[in-house]
Amino acid sequence: MTRVGGRGVRMTRGFARVLIWFFAWLAPRALRARWREEWLAEIDAGRPVRPASILVGAPTDALAARADAVRHGVRAIAAGLRTDFAQTCRGLIRSPRHVLTVVFSLGIGLTLSVSVFSVVNSLLYGDVPGVHDRRSLARVFIGHAQTVGSENFGRPGVMSAETLSVSDFESLDKDAGPSLSGLAGEGDLRVAVSLSSTTTGAIASFVTPSYFPVVGTPVLQGRLLTADDGRPGAPAVVVVGFHLWRDRLGAAADLVGRSILIGGKDFTVVGIAPPRFVGIEPSDPASSPLDFSQLWIPLRHAAGWAGAPGPDRPWLSVVGRMAPPTTIDDVRASLTVPAARRAAERPDIRTSATYLVRSHGFGPNDSPTDVLIMLAMILAIPLTVLAVSCANVANLQLARATTRARELAVRMALGASRGQIVRLLVLEAALLALASTLAGWLGAATTITLAQSYFPLILTLDHRVLIFALSLTTGVTLLSGLAPAWLATRRSMAGDLKRTHQGGGLAHARLRHGLVVAQVAASFVLLAGSNVFVRTSYAVQADVPRAIAEQLVVSFDVGMLGYGPADANRLTRDLRTRLGADARVDAVSFERDTSGRYGSPDTDLDNARFTSVKEVSPDFAAVTDARVVAGRWLEATDGPQAVVVNERMARQLDPDGRAVGRRVVLRTGADEPRLTLDIIGVIENQKRRVDDFQPDAAMYRLLPAAAPTVFDVRIRTRNAAAVAGDLRGIVESVDARLPWAGFWFGRDLYAGEFDAFRYAAMAVGGFGVVALLVAAGGLYAVMAYVVSLRQREFGIRIAIGARPEDLTAIVGRLALRLAGWGLAVGLAIAVPLGFAMRAMIVGVSLSIDDPWSWLPVIAALAAVTLLAALVPARRAARVDPIRVLRVE
């Protein structure tokens, strides 16, 4: 016998009571009283209870008899559910417009939100094509503490991340320890590739022997590089990228095993990389993979390669494979000792340096706050559209629930219980939620499939996003449809049966109107945000300085053709002669950008400020309209010690800006000697891009006598479009072997930083239009519902002499009043958001600066509002008073 009493028995009794009440609620009414009365009496008597008897509520000796009753009860429950399902389906089929509107509204919102969530998830955690398990990779940099010059980084004491040199990599590879199972590095150079008579430019990655095993790249054809290929004396081999092979080398079927000419040297192709693989760093969205790595060459070939840095110059991007269960923090801790050892090995270039370890992610992973801000800005827009969709569905469900009050009262009068009514409505809400989720999921899958070709990462729909979508849609449909229906079942049936129309009362009307106002306000905020981005983009385009607007810039890397300084000198002379002979060209200058640390002669350059160093030809001032404020500009007869600085550097060297005649020391690289330079002039600060409101310190030197193999040609012309059309022919007439890499308009380089604004304007504007259309659907539903409720009133008005246009005006005024409140709320939200954007993003042009710029957005809202109210207004104007009054 089982002892009665104790905590276990009490818990068993409680559990049995829950089951009894649950089955009693689901069971037909005829069985409820007997089950509840007999089961609770037996449990309260403390009789022995077994698990089987808990479900049927009877002692063991009566189990067989009660089992038959339970089977009949379960069948009755199943039959009731089938009946509920059939009735729900018939009810939804009779209301196709309601179903389609709900599914469309939630489907649109879910499509946008699920798509954006999936893209962000793939950017942060998704797989990179050709890279195995990105989450177990760690990026390694050299870090230096910036104790001075912190204005370049935004906050003092920040660690600047620098790539590793070859000697850094070799030292780290020996001392990495067990936290990293492998270490790989790659350094990129632009090279010329020749196959038969085809010559093209490409990005080549010089990689360490362990590169492909660490990255985990599969092979498309042939094989990948191995450790043997990196040994001295091994044959010169190369792995070719899929896109270079397909798009530039004619997809030659016999490429593997053939020799190609890279930078004037023969290499044997041993394999072809998989599609979309461009190395450790994936390509940018909407960029061609051909703009990134498409050749992989053993690192040993970089020694002596034209343009390749020396062994102590940083240029290698390094990644390590973490040994499980190692974390990023473990790797950071394990590299503390190797960093100290490296600093002791090379105190001249690695004093106080350390190894920075970061996850192989995208975005500012060293600052959680920056990540949260970025995610909030990206995800806020689709979530706003989803909120508008949910508000629209809530409005539709509220209207449907209140209009069904008389139907529910009839059902209860015919014997239906409140539980059965609620089950019916729960099932209806569940079917709507399921259909909306399927529509949103299919829409997101289609969007992801179409967007995949524009993204460098593998985009996938995450199951967590589906669960979120299903939960949200179910919650919205249940709360907006079930709660009013539950309240309706608690009211007097007699009152509901007497009413021919149900308005839901003043509270329901205010709730419906409030939801419409919220939809219009959210739509206005999105459209206003798009307006801000568009205005900023146009303002940037209109504010380009004349000198920059008349420029063309062409970049050359003749080192990839095996050119030396003498060949580069000849090329620059020929280019100057050929371009100078064109009457459309006003001036031509040559330049090369470098950087370095600078200071006064007694400055410790290891902790000095960074500066931009431009090596230019004397014509640079004429091309760029550089205005000299003190001293003079560079002349061809000046020696290599002469230098011109901008006003920013002059003030850093002397608070009064009197820098002419002073000396400054400069070091352009860790292994480069200190240069002592004489300042002969100061020019005004030059904006190099639109957001360069406080240009950095810069100095200008003459190009060395031995011309560099990497340089830019800057052309000043008043007819940039015409010269650009003939530019390729001009270059080929100078040297037909030069691979054409294109050119840039100065205007595009100046405003290039704001390309993201144009894309943001398109995206936010698209989201705003979608939200406005969804809001219009909600406004239409409310207007149609109001017209249906006020048919008797409209019939009486017409009977006593009201004109149809009077009724149309009544409906139109209500719609405009709701849109006006939405506009007011939207303005109250949009204006502070605009000022916040201006504080975070320099150069943002607010619509509030020009109130007339609000007119397009307001006009769009007014037009959509009137269109949404047009059909209900016309329906109100066609009310037949005789028929309405007869029904009443």
Side-chain angles (χ1 to χ4, degrees):
M1 294 293 292
T2 303
R3 184 172 62 89
V4 178
R7 183 177 180 183
V9 174
R10 288 196 300 271
M11 292 179 64
T12 303
R13 289 180 182 177
F15 180 66
R17 284 177 176 273
V18 172
L19 288 177
I20 289 169
W21 283 106
F22 178 72
F23 280 106
W25 181 70
L26 289 176
R29 183 178 297 176
L31 296 176
R32 289 182 186 175
R34 182 161 58 87
W35 283 4
R36 185 183 299 115
E37 189 176 314
E38 295 180 3
W39 293 357
L40 293 178
E42 292 171 354
I43 290 177
D44 289 338
R47 295 173 182 167
V49 178
R50 294 181 174 85
S53 65
I54 292 176
L55 296 178
V56 296
T60 306
D61 54 1
L63 183 60
R66 294 297 175 86
D68 185 59
V70 170
R71 281 196 295 271
H72 287 291
V74 171
R75 289 172 184 168
I77 293 172
L81 291 177
R82 286 195 300 270
T83 302
D84 290 343
F85 182 79
Q87 291 180 352
T88 301
C89 291
R90 285 196 297 269
L92 294 177
I93 291 173
R94 286 195 299 266
S95 305
R97 286 187 296 180
H98 175 76
V99 174
L100 291 177
T101 306
V102 169
V103 172
F104 176 78
S105 298
L106 279 181
I108 288 291
L110 289 173
T111 295
L112 297 178
S113 58
V114 170
S115 299
V116 174
F117 267 82
S118 299
V119 169
V120 171
N121 182 68
S122 297
L123 287 173
L124 295 177
Y125 306 108
D127 294 327
V128 178
V131 177
H132 174 68
D133 191 12
R134 176 166 70 112
R135 286 180 286 274
S136 67
L137 291 177
R139 302 294 304 275
V140 182
F141 303 90
I142 291 290
H144 296 277
Q146 297 296 320
T147 56
V148 295
S150 58
E151 66 272 12
N152 295 330
F153 297 91
R155 52 186 184 272
V158 73
M159 295 294 291
S160 63
E162 186 180 86
T163 54
L164 276 67
S165 65
V166 174
S167 59
D168 291 330
F169 178 84
E170 292 172 349
S171 174
L172 179 61
D173 194 28
K174 293 186 296 184
D175 299 333
S179 61
L180 294 175
S181 60
L183 205 64
E186 66 175 8
D188 297 342
L189 288 177
R190 188 164 185 86
V191 299
V193 185
S194 299
L195 178 65
S196 301
S197 60
T198 302
T199 300
T200 185
I203 302 295
S205 289
F206 292 84
V207 300
T208 58
S210 58
Y211 179 80
F212 285 108
V214 170
V215 177
T217 306
V219 66
L220 182 66
Q221 293 184 23
R223 67 173 179 86
L224 300 175
L225 300 179
T226 63
D228 293 336
D229 297 322
R231 293 193 174 95
V237 296
V238 63
V239 172
V240 177
F242 170 82
H243 300 275
L244 179 65
W245 166 67
R246 184 192 64 182
D247 300 335
R248 298 285 178 83
L249 301 180
D254 59 344
L255 183 64
V256 176
R258 292 179 60 181
S259 293
I260 61 175
L261 201 64
I262 304 177
K265 301 178 182 179
D266 282 320
F267 285 83
T268 301
V269 178
V270 296
I272 298 176
R276 301 171 61 206
F277 175 66
V278 294
I280 296 174
E281 292 282 4
S283 59
D284 296 330
S287 296
S288 170
L290 291 170
D291 297 330
F292 300 85
S293 299
Q294 284 295 292
L295 295 167
W296 290 271
I297 304 171
L299 182 61
R300 67 181 180 86
H301 294 287
W305 195 285
D312 291 328
R313 291 291 298 271
W315 73 305
L316 291 182
S317 298
V318 176
V319 66
R321 177 74 63 179
M322 293 184 290
T326 305
T327 64
I328 288 289
D329 292 333
D330 297 333
V331 177
R332 291 192 181 104
S334 67
L335 296 188
T336 303
V337 174
R341 187 177 294 116
R342 179 60 178 161
E345 291 174 354
R346 296 299 303 272
D348 53 336
I349 60 174
R350 288 294 176 248
T351 301
S352 71
T354 185
Y355 288 116
L356 293 180
V357 182
R358 296 176 179 172
S359 60
H360 191 270
F362 303 94
N365 53 42
D366 57 335
S367 175
T369 303
D370 293 342
V371 174
L372 290 176
I373 293 175
M374 178 187 69
L375 292 179
M377 293 177 63
I378 293 175
L379 300 179
I381 298 174
L383 286 180
T384 301
V385 178
L386 183 59
V388 172
S389 302
C390 291
N392 191 19
V393 170
N395 229 337
L396 294 173
Q397 290 289 86
L398 283 172
R400 180 174 171 79
T402 52
T403 54
R404 294 182 67 185
R406 188 167 184 269
E407 172 199 341
L408 300 179
V410 171
R411 288 179 178 271
M412 295 184 68
L414 295 176
S417 66
R418 188 167 60 188
Q420 290 174 320
I421 297 295
V422 171
R423 285 202 306 272
L424 187 68
L425 297 174
V426 167
L427 187 57
E428 178 179 305
L431 290 178
L432 287 174
L434 181 60
S436 301
T437 303
L438 289 176
W441 192 252
L442 290 175
T446 304
T447 303
I448 290 296
T449 301
L450 296 176
Q452 181 63 82
S453 59
Y454 298 97
F455 277 83
L457 299 159
I458 299 174
L459 302 180
T460 56
L461 293 177
D462 196 281
H463 67 278
R464 294 168 295 181
V465 182
L466 176 61
I467 295 174
F468 164 77
L470 182 60
S471 302
L472 185 64
T473 53
T474 304
V476 169
T477 50
L478 280 176
L479 292 177
S480 58
L482 182 58
W486 177 269
L487 294 176
T489 59
R490 298 174 65 90
R491 295 200 301 261
S492 169
M493 287 189 299
D496 288 339
L497 289 173
K498 291 178 181 178
R499 297 185 179 95
T500 57
H501 295 286
Q502 292 293 328
L506 182 60
H508 281 191
R510 288 176 176 173
L511 180 58
R512 289 190 300 271
H513 294 172
L515 289 173
V516 171
V517 169
Q519 295 175 68
V520 174
S523 303
F524 177 81
V525 170
L526 291 178
L527 291 174
S530 176
N531 189 30
V532 168
F533 287 118
V534 170
R535 281 178 51 83
T536 302
S537 299
Y538 278 110
V540 166
Q541 294 294 332
D543 194 36
V544 178
R546 176 186 172 187
I548 294 178
E550 295 179 352
Q551 289 179 18
L552 289 173
V553 181
V554 190
S555 295
F556 291 97
D557 185 355
V558 296
M560 64 186 182
L561 293 173
Y563 278 26
D567 298 317
N569 279 332
R570 177 189 56 79
L571 178 63
T572 55
R573 286 195 306 268
D574 294 345
L575 282 172
R576 185 187 300 276
T577 301
R578 181 68 177 82
L579 290 169
D582 194 322
R584 298 169 298 179
V585 175
D586 297 328
V588 179
S589 70
F590 297 81
E591 63 188 67
R592 180 179 67 170
D593 286 331
T594 60
S595 62
R597 294 178 183 268
Y598 77 98
S600 57
D602 58 347
T603 301
D604 178 13
L605 293 182
D606 288 332
N607 294 313
R609 293 184 175 96
F610 277 100
T611 183
S612 168
V613 181
K614 271 188 173 295
E615 296 178 340
V616 299
S617 62
D619 297 326
F620 179 83
V623 173
T624 61
D625 282 348
R627 189 174 69 89
V628 178
V629 297
R632 63 177 177 84
W633 178 248
L634 296 167
E635 298 177 356
T637 56
D638 289 326
Q641 289 79 26
V643 65
V644 173
V645 301
N646 67 354
E647 292 176 299
R648 179 75 181 277
M649 180 179 287
R651 290 193 180 91
Q652 289 178 353
L653 294 173
D654 187 297
D656 296 327
R658 294 190 292 268
V660 176
R662 295 192 57 169
R663 286 194 167 185
V664 63
V665 293
L666 173 71
R667 188 171 68 194
T668 57
D671 55 349
E672 296 292 334
R674 292 164 55 107
L675 301 175
T676 302
L677 307 174
D678 297 318
I679 299 176
I680 65 170
V682 178
I683 65 171
E684 66 178 358
N685 296 328
Q686 288 188 319
K687 290 179 64 174
R688 303 176 64 180
R689 56 189 181 275
V690 66
D691 59 342
D692 196 9
F693 293 97
Q694 190 178 16
D696 294 332
M699 63 172 57
Y700 303 84
R701 304 175 59 203
L702 285 177
L703 279 168
T709 58
V710 179
F711 59 90
D712 295 335
V713 180
R714 195 175 294 269
I715 305 168
R716 178 76 178 268
T717 172
R718 283 163 292 181
N719 195 352
V723 174
D726 300 334
L727 197 55
R728 180 168 186 171
I730 294 174
V731 172
E732 290 180 348
S733 68
V734 173
D735 192 334
R737 293 182 300 162
L738 286 175
W740 180 247
F743 61 90
W744 296 269
F745 287 100
R747 179 186 299 273
D748 294 336
L749 291 176
Y750 181 81
E753 297 291 331
F754 269 59
D755 282 344
F757 269 77
R758 285 192 286 269
Y759 297 135
M762 294 171 58
V764 177
F767 282 119
V769 170
V770 171
L772 186 58
L773 293 177
V774 173
L779 185 62
Y780 167 79
V782 169
M783 292 297 100
Y785 176 66
V786 168
V787 169
S788 68
L789 292 181
R790 299 177 65 178
Q791 279 189 357
R792 183 173 182 271
E793 173 195 342
F794 291 157
I796 294 175
R797 285 177 179 270
I798 292 177
I800 62 177
R803 296 173 299 173
E805 52 266 28
D806 296 332
L807 303 184
T808 302
I810 291 174
V811 178
R813 280 197 299 269
L814 176 58
L816 288 176
R817 186 164 63 249
L818 294 178
W821 279 107
L823 176 62
V825 175
L827 276 172
I829 298 173
V831 172
L833 283 179
F835 282 111
M837 289 178 60
R838 171 179 280 180
M840 292 187 296
I841 306 174
V842 179
V844 168
S845 177
L846 293 183
S847 301
I848 198 172
D849 298 335
D850 180 14
W852 293 104
S853 64
W854 293 105
L855 288 180
V857 178
I858 297 175
L861 276 175
V864 170
T865 300
L866 292 177
L867 287 176
L870 179 61
V871 175
R874 293 183 62 185
R875 187 182 304 162
R878 292 198 301 264
V879 169
D880 184 357
I882 302 300
R883 197 169 96 187
V884 171
L885 295 176
R886 184 186 299 123
V887 172
E888 293 296 333

